[in-house]
Amino acid sequence: MTSTTARRVLLAAPRGYCAGVDRAVIAVEKALEQYGAPIYVRHEIVHNKYVVQTLEKKGAIFVDETDEVPEGSIVMFSAHGVAPTVHEEAERRKLATIDATCPLVTKVHKEAVRFAKEDYDILLIGHEGHEEVIGTSGEAPDHITLVDGPEDVDNVTVRDESKVVWLSQTTLSVDETMETVDRLKQRFPALVSPPSDDICYATQNRQNAVKLMGAEADLVIVVGSQNSSNSKRLVEVALGAGAKAAYLVDFASEIDEAWLTDEVRTVGVTSGASVPEVLVEEVLEWLAGRGFTDVELVKAAEESITFSLPKELRRDLRAEAARKAAG
Ligand code: SF4
């Protein structure tokens, strides 16, 4: 590198924690305080290594399935949602459950149930194997067909072309999803759209901010984990918006010095919806140490949405507060 004068960082806003992730992480922390360790959590509460490791240290135990949870224990379901069969299995095993499914995922589950009741064929746009897709599909397995991107559209078959609706995973690329919908509409002109967007506000806002910075950025660093769908989409959106390079890192220590060639003058920084701000701060420090001290905010939206804690937890926290007040 030759000069430090023209180096700058474009910092996306909004970035990082969304309301659903914030709620899920606080739910585990509050549950640990209220009931004591261990609290079992089915699957990663949110798709972020740092968050999972931090909660493990506090006493959370992450399991793949409810049959790994000892009978009578407390199990929390992750923000991505679960199929009804998982609730049934937990009940059979006499587990106390706390459901931290994001309310915006629950909204999609309810849409699936409603359209299945009306006997629609439901085309669920999403990534095969993603936990959210497995959970949503489980609401109406006989009615739901997964459509994994535009190239999957030609494989879709339905029972009645006049009664088809599309829904989607909450964390997809907005543009790619609309391309999939357009192709589906060409095949099924009567295709019905969901009553409101399934791709959530947080996913859309983070992608919009990256679009604003993408064209100006020589390099975009997205902080997030490899299994985080919305974080991976941010890398794709950055490249689509014109960034010369974009990479996903869990931690600042994963940034490769070789990415900062002499030509790199503007670095975009953002983070997925499951990423705590401390990890972004570490990336900014890493960049500052290499001459990128000038940080400009690139703002796409204001966010003020919050969700209340899962109802089972709220009930027990209220009861505990009342007990304490009584004496
Ligand atoms: S990314 Fe969206 S759907 Fe997922 S937890 Fe956050 S707010 Fe909820």
Side-chain angles (χ1 to χ4, degrees):
M1 288 190 277
T2 50
S3 154
T4 59
T5 49
R7 290 183 187 139
R8 64 177 181 155
V9 173
L10 300 179
L11 182 60
R15 63 182 177 279
Y17 270 19
C18 60
V21 164
D22 197 37
R23 167 188 191 255
V25 174
I26 293 174
V28 179
E29 289 170 346
K30 290 272 181 208
L32 284 163
E33 278 169 34
Q34 172 71 17
Y35 313 111
I39 296 291
Y40 291 85
V41 183
R42 184 181 177 276
H43 294 174
E44 294 189 352
I45 186 77
V46 299
H47 285 155
N48 185 267
K49 252 190 210 172
Y50 175 89
V51 172
V52 167
Q53 286 166 1
T54 306
L55 292 173
E56 271 174 342
K57 282 183 201 144
K58 292 182 180 176
I61 297 178
F62 293 89
V63 295
D64 286 332
E65 286 307 332
T66 37
D67 62 12
E68 295 167 49
V69 181
E71 284 207 7
S73 307
I74 299 172
V75 65
M76 190 175 297
F77 297 138
S78 77
H80 311 99
V82 295
T85 49
V86 176
H87 283 283
E88 288 158 16
E89 164 74 6
E91 206 178 309
R92 253 197 313 278
R93 305 208 51 244
K94 300 186 176 36
L95 304 178
T97 57
I98 301 172
D99 189 355
T101 303
C102 176
L104 299 182
V105 174
T106 302
K107 179 193 85 116
V108 183
H109 281 225
K110 284 184 177 158
E111 285 169 352
V113 170
R114 175 161 77 83
F115 283 112
K117 259 192 197 142
E118 293 173 22
D119 204 27
Y120 275 83
D121 271 352
I122 300 165
L123 305 180
L124 177 64
I125 303 172
H127 295 301
E128 189 166 9
H130 190 277
E131 284 159 35
E132 183 187 320
V133 160
I134 293 168
T136 307
S137 300
E139 291 287 359
D142 297 338
H143 287 80
I144 293 181
T145 302
L146 181 67
V147 184
D148 194 346
E151 57 293 334
D152 203 16
V153 169
D154 289 343
N155 306 324
V156 174
T157 54
V158 296
R159 293 168 304 158
D160 175 359
E161 294 194 3
S162 68
K163 217 162 177 196
V164 192
V165 62
W166 69 273
L167 300 178
S168 86
Q169 191 181 328
T170 57
T171 50
L172 299 180
S173 150
V174 177
D175 296 338
E176 190 185 280
T177 302
M178 290 329 292
E179 191 188 330
T180 307
V181 171
D182 287 345
R183 287 215 208 168
L184 283 170
K185 277 187 177 153
Q186 282 164 19
R187 282 207 56 203
F188 310 113
L191 183 71
V192 171
S193 297
S196 61
D197 282 348
D198 288 338
I199 298 181
C200 77
Y201 79 97
T203 301
Q204 297 193 21
N205 287 344
R206 280 150 193 68
Q207 288 178 16
N208 287 343
V210 167
K211 276 185 197 168
L212 288 180
M213 67 159 58
E216 286 188 62
D218 301 308
L219 165 69
V220 171
I221 296 172
V222 178
V223 188
S225 291
Q226 285 296 339
N227 60 348
S228 161
S229 171
N230 81 86
S231 302
K232 282 171 87 172
R233 301 295 81 76
L234 290 175
V235 172
E236 294 166 5
V237 170
L239 293 171
K244 295 193 186 76
Y247 299 100
L248 186 63
V249 297
D250 258 300
F251 303 102
S253 57
E254 291 177 4
I255 304 173
D256 189 339
E257 297 271 358
W259 299 343
L260 286 186
T261 59
D262 278 354
E263 288 70 43
V264 172
R265 283 286 177 260
T266 302
V267 179
V269 175
T270 189
S271 56
S274 46
V275 177
E277 187 62 7
V278 61
L279 300 181
V280 175
E281 284 162 10
E282 284 171 14
V283 167
L284 294 177
E285 271 169 37
W286 189 97
L287 288 166
R290 285 147 185 89
F292 290 82
T293 48
D294 174 15
V295 179
E296 285 173 36
L297 207 60
V298 177
K299 198 171 201 165
E302 293 279 357
E303 287 181 352
S304 54
I305 186 164
T306 56
F307 297 130
S308 52
L309 287 171
K311 61 178 187 312
E312 310 85 346
L313 193 51
R314 265 185 289 145
R315 177 199 59 208
D316 291 350
L317 290 171
R318 261 200 314 267
E320 176 74 9
R323 252 196 312 277
K324 278 187 180 152

